[in-house]
């Protein structure tokens, strides 16, 4: 159903009148044009009002969606800042070479002396030398590592060193052994290596009846012994089957390489400044995006007289003022008041937030508790902001969702009114079609009768057949 303007409505009525005049003066009525003009003229005002209500409602829904999305992004950026958890994230650094340290949950700040005596190694054994393509009999060959093992069946298809190596590497139940054939000056050797480091992961070989007796552990040479990593952490002895040492130092994982052996060093665990800076900068960007969004939604261009969809809106103004108040206020803790400016976040005249990363890093180094005080989990800026934003962003019960639901309800009513108007339009069209079609038939009969009488008695310049006979 289209929208009809007052000027087009007048034109339609003029067309209808002209159609009736034409019919009365001898031409047939253009029923379709006539009915369409009269019906559209009759419903034009209501159709226009409904279209305007729908446009206004949908524009408002779009604006509220943008507002909620921007506030939601701002709230998401507070993760770790609103509850202060970002300040319990620690980074670990080593003072020397050969150790890299990473942190997980539960790490505690401090310095820890680490001395690595040996690395964990994987067991490797090598068989005696065999002639190239030598066959080693048929039967079973058991390969083990630690307490796990697998048994291979050797036959004429796989009883060479290459065949055995391929069978070991391709076995679905391989317990963790890799095999390779090394060709030396003395012949070929089967080299078996444990996939896992550690003293418990010793490779073993056992030959069954019919298989060359040299295929037994006792006849293999140990190339690399299986051993655990050994180190001390703050004086406590630690062993690890892997060179990735977990759980020895709570919340810290140490990755050892050969450069660390015999080189005592210190592992320092402290708050992660890079994570804090990233979180603060993320908050600053989300805040500035919110400022740009609310300015756009409430803008006014005097040159075009175009206004943003939420210009003067009470809910938007309330959100803007509330957020601005929190940003401008200080945080009282321990008898002192802290502000965003102290950690490199400065409110500018245009309402945006500036970020001085160098100042934040300097503050983190000199006075880390100052930063954590601004974003403490009790009454910090993030905590205040998060609670305030909940009133707008919560699903269903938040102000934006409640208002959205109200507009959707109104649009549903408008949609019903539109359907009713369409039904009314169809009823009028049917009614007028019947009336004007009947009128058209009547006018046709009148015109036909007039023509007959003119032919009979004369008229319109014709003498008439009656006059001729006289």
């Amino acid at each position: 159903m289209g929208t009809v303007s007052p000027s087009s409505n007048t034109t339609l009525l003029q067309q209808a009148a002209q159609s009736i005049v034409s019919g009365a003066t001898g031409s047939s009525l253009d029923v379709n044009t006539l009915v369409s003009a009269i019906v559209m003229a009759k419903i034009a005002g209501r159709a226009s009002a409904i279209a305007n209500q729908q446009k206004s409602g949908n524009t408002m829904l779009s604006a509220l969606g943008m507002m909620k999305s921007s506030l939601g992004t701002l709230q998401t950026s507070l993760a770790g800042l609103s509850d202060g958890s970002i300040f319990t994230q620690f980074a670990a650094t080593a003072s020397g070479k050969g150790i890299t340290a990473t942190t997980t949950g539960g790490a505690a700040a401090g310095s820890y002396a680490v001395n690595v005596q040996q690395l964990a190694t994987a067991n490797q054994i090598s068989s005696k030398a065999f002639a190239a393509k030598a066959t080693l009999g048929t039967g079973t060959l058991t390969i083990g590592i630690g307490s796990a093992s697998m048994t291979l069946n050797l036959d004429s298809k796989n009883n060479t060193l290459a065949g055995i190596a391929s069978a070991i590497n391709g076995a679905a139940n391989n317990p963790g052994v890799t095999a390779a054939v090394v060709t030396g000056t003395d012949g070929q050797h089967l080299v078996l290596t444990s996939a896992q480091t550690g003293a418990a992961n010793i490779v073993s070989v056992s030959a069954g009846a019919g298989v060359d007796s040299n295929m037994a552990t006792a006849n293999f040479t140990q190339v690399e012994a299986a051993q655990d990593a050994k180190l001390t952490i703050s004086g406590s002895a630690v062993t690890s089957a892997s060179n990735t040492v977990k759980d020895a130092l709570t919340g810290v994982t140490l990755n050892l390489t050969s450069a660390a052996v015999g080189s005592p060093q210190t592992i320092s665990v402290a708050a992660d400044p890079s994570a804090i800076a990233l979180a603060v900068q993320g908050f600053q960007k989300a805040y500035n995006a919110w400022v740009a969004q609310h300015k756009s939604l409430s803008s006014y261009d005097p040159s075009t007289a175009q206004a943003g969809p939420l210009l003067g809106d009470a809910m938007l103004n309330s959100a803007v003022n509330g957020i601005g108040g929190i940003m401008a206020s200080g945080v009282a803790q321990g008898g002192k008041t802290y502000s965003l400016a102290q950690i490199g976040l400065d409110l500018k005249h245009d309402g945006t937030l500036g970020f001085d990363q160098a100042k934040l890093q300097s503050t983190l180094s000199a006075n880390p508790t100052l930063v954590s005080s601004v974003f403490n989990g009790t009454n910090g800026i993030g905590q205040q902001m998060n609670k305030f934003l909940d009133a707008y962003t919560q699903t269903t019960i938040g102000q934006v969702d409640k208002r959205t639901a109200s507009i959707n309800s109104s649009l549903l009513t408008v949609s019903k009114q539109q359907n009713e108007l369409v039904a009314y339009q169809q009823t009028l069209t049917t009614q007028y079609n019947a009336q004007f079609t009947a009128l058209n038939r009547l006018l046709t009969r009148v015109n036909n009768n007039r023509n007959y009488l003119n032919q009979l008695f004369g008229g319109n310049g014709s003498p008439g057949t009656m006059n001729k006979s006289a």
Side-chain angles (χ1 to χ4, degrees):
M1 179 174 61
T3 301
V4 180
S5 66
S7 59
S8 62
N9 187 24
T10 301
T11 302
L12 289 172
L13 289 176
Q14 290 173 343
Q15 291 174 354
Q18 183 59 49
S19 181
I20 295 174
V21 170
S22 296
T25 57
S27 303
S28 62
L29 294 174
D30 183 353
V31 174
N32 289 334
T33 301
L34 174 62
V35 170
S36 177
I38 294 175
V39 170
M40 290 305 295
K42 196 170 186 66
I43 68 171
R46 185 60 185 143
S48 178
I50 288 175
N52 288 337
Q53 286 177 292
Q54 288 177 322
K55 181 180 179 181
S56 175
N58 287 324
T59 298
M60 186 60 69
L61 286 178
S62 177
L64 291 176
M66 288 187 282
M67 175 181 173
K68 183 179 179 182
S69 176
S70 184
L71 289 175
T73 300
L74 178 60
Q75 191 168 31
T76 299
S77 75
L78 293 169
L81 293 173
S82 60
D83 58 6
S85 62
I86 191 71
F87 302 103
T88 63
Q89 293 184 20
F90 294 96
T93 56
S95 62
K97 297 181 179 180
I99 300 178
T100 57
T102 55
T103 59
T104 58
S111 295
Y112 308 90
V114 177
N115 187 8
V116 180
Q117 287 91 42
Q118 68 178 36
L119 295 181
T121 55
N123 187 209
Q124 186 179 81
I125 58 176
S126 176
S127 73
K128 61 167 289 187
F130 291 91
K133 297 183 180 180
T135 57
L136 304 174
T138 58
T140 59
L141 186 68
T142 301
I143 308 296
I145 181 168
S147 60
S149 65
M150 66 176 177
T151 299
L152 303 176
N153 291 314
L154 301 187
D155 55 30
S156 60
K157 296 179 181 179
N158 65 356
N159 63 351
T160 63
L161 291 185
I164 293 172
S166 178
I168 291 172
N169 294 333
N173 61 339
N174 188 314
V177 178
T178 60
V181 176
V182 176
T183 301
T185 57
D186 57 346
Q188 292 186 331
H189 300 261
L190 179 67
V191 177
L192 303 177
T193 307
S194 168
Q196 301 291 329
T197 58
N201 296 313
I202 298 175
V203 180
S204 62
V205 186
S206 177
V211 177
D212 192 314
S213 61
N214 286 308
M215 299 301 292
T217 306
N219 295 315
F220 277 67
T221 301
Q222 180 167 271
V223 178
E224 185 75 59
Q227 69 179 26
D228 292 337
K230 292 183 179 181
L231 64 156
T232 60
I233 300 177
S234 292
S236 298
V238 174
T239 60
S240 172
S242 169
N243 290 315
T244 299
V245 183
K246 299 179 180 180
D247 302 324
L249 181 58
T250 303
V252 179
T253 297
L254 302 177
N255 295 288
L256 311 179
T257 65
S258 58
V261 178
S263 178
Q265 54 190 288
T266 300
I267 302 297
S268 299
V269 181
D272 187 356
S274 62
I276 295 171
L278 191 63
V280 171
Q281 187 172 33
F283 167 65
Q284 177 241 1
K285 289 181 178 178
Y287 180 82
N288 287 344
W290 154 248
V291 171
Q293 184 64 269
H294 80 66
K295 285 185 176 181
S296 174
L297 293 173
S298 59
S299 64
Y300 179 75
D301 185 351
S303 64
T304 60
Q306 292 295 313
L310 295 181
L311 176 63
D313 185 83
M315 185 175 71
L316 177 63
N317 289 341
S318 176
V320 171
N321 292 335
I323 292 172
I326 292 171
M327 295 295 289
S329 65
V331 177
Q333 190 180 54
K336 296 182 179 180
T337 300
Y338 303 95
S339 69
L340 289 171
Q342 291 176 282
I343 62 170
L345 291 172
D346 296 305
L347 282 171
K348 299 181 179 180
H349 294 299
D350 62 359
T352 59
L353 193 61
F355 177 49
D356 186 341
Q357 186 167 350
K359 186 173 184 179
L360 174 62
Q361 296 289 6
S362 175
T363 304
L364 284 171
S365 299
N367 188 6
T369 58
L370 190 156
V371 183
S372 60
S373 294
V374 173
F375 286 105
N376 75 82
T378 303
N379 69 334
I381 295 293
Q383 186 65 228
Q384 294 179 49
M385 188 77 73
N386 193 49
K387 288 181 178 179
F388 179 81
L389 292 175
D390 269 345
Y392 294 89
T393 61
Q394 282 184 310
T395 303
T396 306
I397 61 175
Q399 290 188 41
V400 178
D401 274 12
K402 284 183 177 180
R403 188 163 170 191
T404 298
S406 176
I407 294 173
N408 278 324
S409 178
S410 297
L411 285 175
L412 183 60
T413 299
V414 172
S415 180
K416 290 179 180 178
Q417 293 172 354
Q418 184 184 42
N419 291 336
E420 291 169 356
L421 189 59
V422 170
Y424 177 58
Q425 178 184 9
Q426 292 170 345
T427 299
L428 283 179
T429 299
T430 300
Q431 176 186 330
Y432 289 148
N433 267 327
Q435 291 175 350
F436 286 105
T437 297
L439 177 59
N440 205 22
R441 286 197 295 268
L442 176 60
L443 290 174
T444 299
R445 286 198 299 271
V446 169
N447 286 331
N448 289 339
N449 289 338
R450 181 183 63 187
N451 291 334
Y452 173 73
L453 292 173
N454 283 336
Q455 292 174 0
L456 186 62
F457 296 106
N460 291 334
S462 172
T465 57
M466 293 288 292
N467 294 329
K468 289 179 179 180
S469 62

